[in-house]
Every structure is written in structure tokens, then in C-alpha cells.
Amino acid sequence: MGISTMGWIGRGAAALAIYAVAAGTASAQDKELTVGMASTFATVDPHEESNSPHNAMSRHIFDSLIYRGGAAENEPQLATSWEIIDNTHWRFHLREGVKFHDGTDFDAEDVIASVLRARDKPSQAFASYTRNITDVTAEDPHTVVVETSVPDPMILNSLSRIRIISSEHADDDVAAFDNGTAAVGTGPFKFVSYTPGDRIVMERNDDYFGGASEWSKVTLRMLPDNGARLASLLSGDADLIETLPAEGVARVKSSDNLKVIRGQSTRIVYLGVDVARDQTPFITAKDGSKLDKNPLKDERVRKALLMSINRPAIVQRVMQDNGTVAHQFVAEGYFGHSDDVDEVSYDPEGAKKLLEEAGYPDGFRLTLHGPQGRYVNDSDVLQAVGQMFARIGIDTKVEVMPWSMYADKYSNGEYSVFLGSWGVNTGEVSNPAIAIVAGRDEAKGTGRYNGGGINDPEINKLLDEATSTLDEDKREPILQKVSELTFNHHYLLPLHYENVVLGASKDVDYKPRGDKYLLAYEVKSAK
Amino acid sequence: MVTSIIRRFIQALFVIVAMTVIVFLAVNVIGNPVDILINPDANQAERARVIAEYGLDQPLWRQYIDFLAGLLRGDFGNSFVYGRSALQVILERFPATLELALSALVIALVVGLPLGLYAGLRPRSVASRIIMSGSILGFSLPTFWVGLMFILLFSVQLGWLPSNGRGETVEILGMRWSFLTEDGLRHLFLPALNLALFKTSLVLRLTRAGVQEVLPQDYIKFARAKGLSERRIISVHVLKNLMIPVVTIVGLEFGSLIAFSVVTESIFAWPGMGKLIIDSINLLDRPVIVAYLMMMVLIFVGLNFIVDLCYTLLDPRVRLDAKR
């Protein structure tokens, strides 16, 4: 026992010595980057999961046919160009001369294997992207045709999410990706090691077709705990951290070596309201007796609620500038943003008048529901909103609960007024609109998160049109109309877009992306 | 002795079976994992496929029987989140937690025993009073606060030690251990110290109480009268007798070190089981929650057993079949 222990210590020491030598010989060009991620991913297999930390991680090792830019634009990556053959067929020309990390060539086989693997995985994580894909075929080794069951205007967006793996590993399971044998992509970094729940370490792919990264080694660390993440940045263990906690902003700003990087994300936070039921469960008269009708069905009441919320103050104080006031699904510059949406401003007096007109001069009693710890400062935002409602005479109680309890209930429409949020990861309006304002139709898959029971025939019809129109010029006015109808009727009360707030060493520069992904390849060292 | 062991074994089996029912029912009444796990854009048909894939479309009794059948084969099912065997996911994290808990235990004993012994032998000295007041701090300061202070002081201000995470690891017996590399030790030190704080105070106080209880006993007086050296009296007669309560508590507390190291693991981003279980509860990853709880039951049952065995070694009067 004693001898074997000594043996191991000896080996540890030897390993250390090698490590020290390696560190000593590191040249100036070998720059390393450590990133502290605010949320965790569960596997390296790019098709097993499709949440944003996972998709951001997989982009380091793997590429897609389409590159998705920071403002949701579709640009060439492994496909150099594409064209529409007819309503249900798209042709993609593949980049030539690209090699996988193991030295094998990239061609149409790999695209076919990857797309079909993503579609057929039992976890169904990519189902919403692949549901319309009936087949992928090769015309020649560098041309593929994607066939869809119905005209699908979102196909480019969908393909930008599906990572291309080597067809040799198409049948490998999650474990093979996690231990690295199958984690072979064409991306800017190569897999080195992965510790579940802790970190993934990658090294530079010197042959990357987009040009080698300046980081020779990249470590993505999973640090969901705010204190731990902040401490990593302050102590210099991490060069860049996601979601700088509000309590750390002042500290980082005052430091000589650190800085705060901000940008706007596409995640909108809103209040949903019950516009469907004649009696709504969580609104009563002030004495607790039942109201004869649901006040939220009156457009004036909904507008009054929105007018009573001082959104600039919420963004500034509660969110500590980690948000931007929102008026519709997407901010200016994104597809489907409309200039004709009413921008309601803070006006408590006007709100009281509207309530009076609607027949509620004394207000009513309301319970506001929301999750805790799901969105940035979610419960604090709700408390603030509750107090603002109280100022126009609506007695408000705020009830928050863990996401695992809330998720089910709010999407099934159990509440009267509730906090919701949607990360518009397609960067265009049809994605949030289909999920949260389209009438609920299980067969079509619309309105799954329509907790307010919105069912406006005009919106439904426009969305049907938008989801089958391939021509972007025709699609845009349709989606703009959807934005106008939703927000001019106040079916949703928009609060803010969450901001991307990063803490960074002054040695690095990064332009935050709308989808909040932190991609090491796009991190540059500051000059 | 053998019958007693068998009896104990049967009792343990009952505890385990009862736990499977409780655990299984409990995780099935909180929330719906599909709502958490599924991509929000999925439609009804895709949802149904995922529900069927996880076996959640089956009635509860059926799921329970399938679970028991799997259990007999040592199979806890696949994690919903990780897509791999739940047991494997937990076992991967096990070395990290075990190493943290063991280091904390070693610190607690190495620091707590001598200080407690000293405070017990010289209760009136100034040093003893300082030690005893210090131990009150160890009891009463919340772990998370002390952890944060450690990080602020040693990592952020002084820059001596890394703020969090696990260092370089070496593979032994198919598991990855970090305490054999310098980098690993540097990462291990702060979290282990943090976790050890409470236990150190506990060991210290137990030891002191034990010393004060043992010293006035007749056999100590007799030993003194016999002219034995103070060193031998303390190391053989005092220490051995006061070890019984210490071993009991340390054994039980070791289980709790493993099961409840979650606070320290979160603060120091230590990739251990505690962090895994909290993540799994938030994501309603039922197979992992169930597998973890079952493992904890096994560990506690096992530890109790080991503690019983240790008694017999330390004190011949205590036998497992001491009824006769």
C-alpha cells in the first residue's frame, strides 16, 4: 500500500514536471482563453440537446451549413451558396477542400448523415427544426438537395442549428461524443477533454477554413453560481464571463483590468394576460367577491395595466441596465419589426382614466404569477410591477415559484396575469408569434405557450400564410402585421429585452450576439 | 455475531425497499419533466414521442415495476438530461465528492483532535479558551459565507489559490482524482477547508468533552499511581476511550459530508455529486434523482455498519451480539 501510494505520488510529480516544462516553453503566440458560462450543457453530442448553452458549445467544434450571425443573419459556412428549386426543394452547394479534425474530407455524405441523425434522435431535441425535412439527397459529392414536406421558410434557420458531424460517427452514442472519440467536427477548435458539469477544453484547429483562431487553447467552464463565476473573473481565472451578476457590475467597472461588455439580446420578457375566459381565477373585486366578468377581456384595461408600468425605471433600477424597454416581439432591425406598433409610455393618470372608462374606477384585486430564478431578476421585476399596479388602484399580490412548478401551469393558462419570456432565437417574428399568440391547435403545433388563450382569427390566418411563404419580401409585411395586431390590441404586455452583459478582462474584445451565444472564435484580443 | 449481521442485513433491505417506494412516488408528484426538458418549439406529436421515449406514458405502477426490475440488474435507467446511464453520470462525479469529503475529514481530525485534547487537558489555560471560542465561530458561521470570504481573500485579493473548479486529475482505478497533482491540491485546499470548518469544531468539542470525562476515572488514577508516563496515559488510556463517541459521530458525519457538500460545491464550482443532484432536481431529471437518493441510502446503511464494526475493535465490551 505504502509503496503503491508512493508510486502514484511519483507519477503525479512526473506529470507535474512535464506540465511545468510545457508551461515554461509556451510562446507568446500560444494565447489561452477561459470562458465562464452562466448555464450548463449536458453533453458534447451536438444532436442530443438543442438549448442555447449546448448549441453555443457545439459551435466551437462543429460547423453548420449556414452560419448564423449575431443579428440572426444567414451566411455561408459549410454551404457556400444555396437556391430554391421549387416550393419544397432547396439546393445547397458545399464548400470544397474542408477537412474534419481527423483528416477525413467533408462531403455530402456527412451532411446527409448529420441532418438525418438530428431528425431521428430519440430525444427529439431538433424536432422543431427538422419536422418538415422529409429527405436529404446528394446530387454530387458537393451538392445536396433538402426536401421538405411543406414550403418551409425557416429552413435556413433550421440548418444553421444542425451541426455537421463526420458520417463515420453517425451511429455513435452520447458516451462516444463525451469521451471525445466521436467529437470530430470541422470547426475552429478540436476536442481535448470534457468533464461533465465542469468544463470542456479545446485546442485550435490550425487548418480551419475560416482562418485559425488566435486562441491556441480554449476552456469553457460551467459556472452557473453567480458568486463563483464572478470570483473567477475577479481572480483572473476566467478571461470572459457570461451574465455578469448585477452585484458585480460596480466592482468590475472600478477594476483596472476588467470591463463590462453589453449588448441587446433577442429575449423578450412580457406579461401575459388571460383574454379568453369570462371569469378569470385570480382577479376579484377589492372585497374578495367575484367580478361579473373578466376585466382583462377589455382592451382598455390591458392598456391601462401597461401604462401603469414604469418600464424605463424597471430596466434601470431593477434590471441595473441589464435590459432594454421592449414594445414588440423584436427590436428594430430584426425581421418582422413594425414601425406602426403603438409605443405605450408610462402614464399612471391616463391609466386610471382608462380603468374608469372601462367601469373599474376603484380598480380590483389581482394575483400576479411568475417564476423565480428563470429570467434575469424575474421575481424583483414582478414585485416592482405589483407596486406599480397598486398605484392605479389595483391591489396586487405577487406569487413566484420555481420554474419546474411554474412551466406547466403558465403554459396551460392557469393564471390571470403572469410573467412570460421568449428567446426569439430565429431572430424573426413567426417563431414567438406561433408559440405565444397563435390560437392553440395541438395538431398544427401552434400556441403551445399561449397562456393567455389569445385566439384572434386574423393573427391565426396571417401566421398560416407566413409559415408557407418562401418569398422573404412577401413574408415581412405579413409578420409586421402580426406584430401590430398583437401589440396594438395589447394581447401581450411587453416589458423588456434582456441585455447580454459580459464581464471581461481588458485584454479581450467581444461583440455580444442577439442569441447570447459566447463563441471563442469571435473573441479577439484587445489591441 | 453472524445472525446479528444477517438480521442487520435484512433490516437494511427493508429500508432500501421502503426508500424505493418513497423516492419513486415523491419524484413523480413534482412537476412534469417533459415541460422542462423539451424544446419549447416542439409540437404535440414530437412531445408525445419524447414522453414515450422516457416511458412516462405508462401508468405509475408500471413505471415502478420497470424501475424495480432495472434496479435488480443494477440499472437505474438513462438520465433524461445526459442521455446516458444515470448511475454512470453519478459515479463520474463520485471521486470529486469523495475526495472533497475525505480531505475535509482529514483536516477535521488532524486539527480537531490535538486541539481538543489540549483544551481538555489544560482547560484553564488562555490557549484553551481561545480554541474553545474559535470553535464556536466554526459552528456558527454559515458555510457559504465563509466560503465566499475564503475566495475573496485567498483568490481575489491575495491571488494565492484558484477561486474555484477542480484542478488537474490523474486516473486511478478508472476514476479521476485530483489530490495527486499540485494543481489539483491547490484547487482542493479552499473547498476542503471550507467543508471541514464545522466538522473540525465538532471533533474538537467532542474530544475535549471526552477527555474531561475520562480523566477523573479510576483507571486513569490507577495508571498514574502505577507510574506510567503522561504520554502513555494520554495516548493509550485517554485517547482510546474517547475515540468511541468521536468515531460514531465522524462516521455518521462522513455520510452527511458526502450528501450535503452541495453548498461548498456550488460556491467553489466543484464538479461533484451535490451540484449534480441540485441541477437534476431543477431539471426534474428523475432517474438521476432516484439513483442518487438510492446511493445515499446505501452509503448511510453501509457507514452505520462500518461504525458498528469499529466499536468492536476499539472497545471489546461492545459486540454486535452483546445481548447475551
Side-chain angles (χ1 to χ4, degrees), chain A residues 426-442:
Chain A
T426 57
E428 51 79 72
V429 163
S430 78
N431 166 268
I434 287 171
I436 54 188
V437 295
R440 186 169 296 216
D441 182 334
E442 306 212 324

Side-chain angles (χ1 to χ4, degrees), chain A residues 8-9 12-13 15-16 19 40-43 48-50 122-125 127-129 131 174-175 178 194-199 221-225 227-229 231-232 234-235 237 251 403-404 407-408 411 422 425 431 435 442 444-445 448-449, chain B residues 31-32 35-47 49-50 53-54 80-84 88 92-93 148 151-152 155-157 161-168 170-172 180-183 187 266-269 271 275 279 281-282 284:
Chain A
W8 283 115
I9 291 172
L16 255 179
Y19 175 79
T40 55
F41 55 86
T43 167
E48 177 71 15
E49 275 282 342
S50 72
S123 67
Q124 291 289 301
S128 56
Y129 305 123
R131 67 169 70 112
V174 171
D178 287 356
Y194 164 61
T195 316
D198 182 35
R199 69 184 69 193
R221 296 205 44 205
M222 294 176 242
L223 297 168
D225 184 81
R229 199 164 64 253
S232 292
L234 293 177
S235 64
D237 293 343
R251 176 104 208 221
W403 176 248
S404 45
D408 205 11
S411 56
W422 194 264
N425 56 23
N431 166 268
E442 306 212 324
K444 274 199 300 184
R448 283 255 324 119
Y449 295 84
Chain B
N32 183 351
D35 286 312
I36 309 263
L37 296 167
I38 204 168
N39 184 326
D41 292 323
N43 67 23
Q44 211 53 31
E46 289 147 12
R47 233 174 107 80
R49 277 207 291 278
V50 173
E53 167 72 16
Y54 292 153
F80 295 164
V81 174
Y82 295 89
R84 293 183 288 139
Q88 194 196 339
E92 263 170 18
R93 312 282 185 101
L148 289 175
I151 295 174
L152 270 182
S155 313
V156 177
Q157 294 295 342
L161 293 165
S163 57
N164 51 40
R166 195 165 180 231
E168 226 184 317
V170 177
E171 189 167 323
I172 300 177
L180 296 174
T181 65
E182 190 199 302
D183 185 50
H187 280 86
S266 297
I267 294 171
F268 289 94
K275 226 168 132 253
D279 292 347
I281 290 172
N282 282 330
L284 297 182

Side-chain angles (χ1 to χ4, degrees), chain B residues 103-268:
Chain B
S103 314
L105 191 68
V106 169
I107 294 178
L109 289 176
V110 167
V111 177
L113 266 182
L115 289 185
L117 204 58
Y118 181 83
L121 293 171
R122 309 228 190 302
R124 280 174 220 292
S125 79
V126 180
S128 295
R129 287 184 193 184
I130 294 173
I131 290 169
M132 293 319 290
S133 324
S135 77
I136 292 175
L137 286 184
F139 267 122
S140 49
L141 291 179
T143 318
F144 73 91
W145 184 82
V146 177
L148 289 175
M149 288 303 117
F150 278 172
I151 295 174
L152 270 182
L153 183 64
F154 293 106
S155 313
V156 177
Q157 294 295 342
L158 301 171
W160 290 350
L161 293 165
S163 57
N164 51 40
R166 195 165 180 231
E168 226 184 317
T169 53
V170 177
E171 189 167 323
I172 300 177
L173 303 174
M175 297 202 236
R176 307 207 67 93
W177 304 90
S178 74
F179 69 99
L180 296 174
T181 65
E182 190 199 302
D183 185 50
L185 279 179
R186 280 163 49 84
H187 280 86
L188 181 59
F189 185 68
L190 284 185
L193 193 63
N194 184 225
L195 193 59
L197 212 62
F198 182 89
K199 308 296 168 202
T200 309
S201 307
L202 189 70
V203 169
L204 192 157
R205 296 201 144 237
L206 273 172
T207 312
R208 175 176 171 272
V211 171
Q212 291 192 323
E213 199 185 296
V214 171
L215 275 185
Q217 300 273 342
D218 288 343
Y219 61 86
I220 300 289
K221 285 182 191 151
F222 184 70
R224 288 224 166 94
K226 225 166 73 172
L228 289 183
S229 73
E230 193 67 14
R231 175 182 215 104
R232 188 166 164 80
I233 292 173
I234 291 169
S235 64
V236 176
H237 299 282
V238 176
L239 207 54
K240 203 168 170 186
N241 283 297
L242 68 82
M243 280 312 275
I244 290 173
V246 174
V247 166
T248 316
I249 297 296
V250 162
L252 292 178
E253 289 287 320
F254 183 63
S256 74
L257 271 180
I258 290 183
F260 309 121
S261 59
V262 52
V263 175
T264 300
E265 286 186 6
S266 297
I267 294 171
F268 289 94

Side-chain angles (χ1 to χ4, degrees), chain A residues 282-301:
Chain A
F282 294 100
I283 292 184
T284 62
K286 282 199 162 168
D287 56 8
S289 63
K290 273 194 176 170
L291 288 176
D292 55 344
K293 55 184 189 215
N294 172 2
L296 299 172
K297 287 187 93 166
D298 189 326
E299 202 174 306
R300 288 168 298 187
V301 175

Side-chain angles (χ1 to χ4, degrees), chain A residues 78 80 94-100 103-107 141-142 186 205 207-210:
Chain A
L78 285 175
T80 48
L94 306 182
R95 192 178 292 274
E96 300 191 22
V98 175
K99 284 193 187 306
F100 280 99
T104 54
D105 286 317
F106 156 76
D107 62 21
H142 289 97
T186 55
N205 173 10
D207 304 322
Y208 188 52
F209 65 81

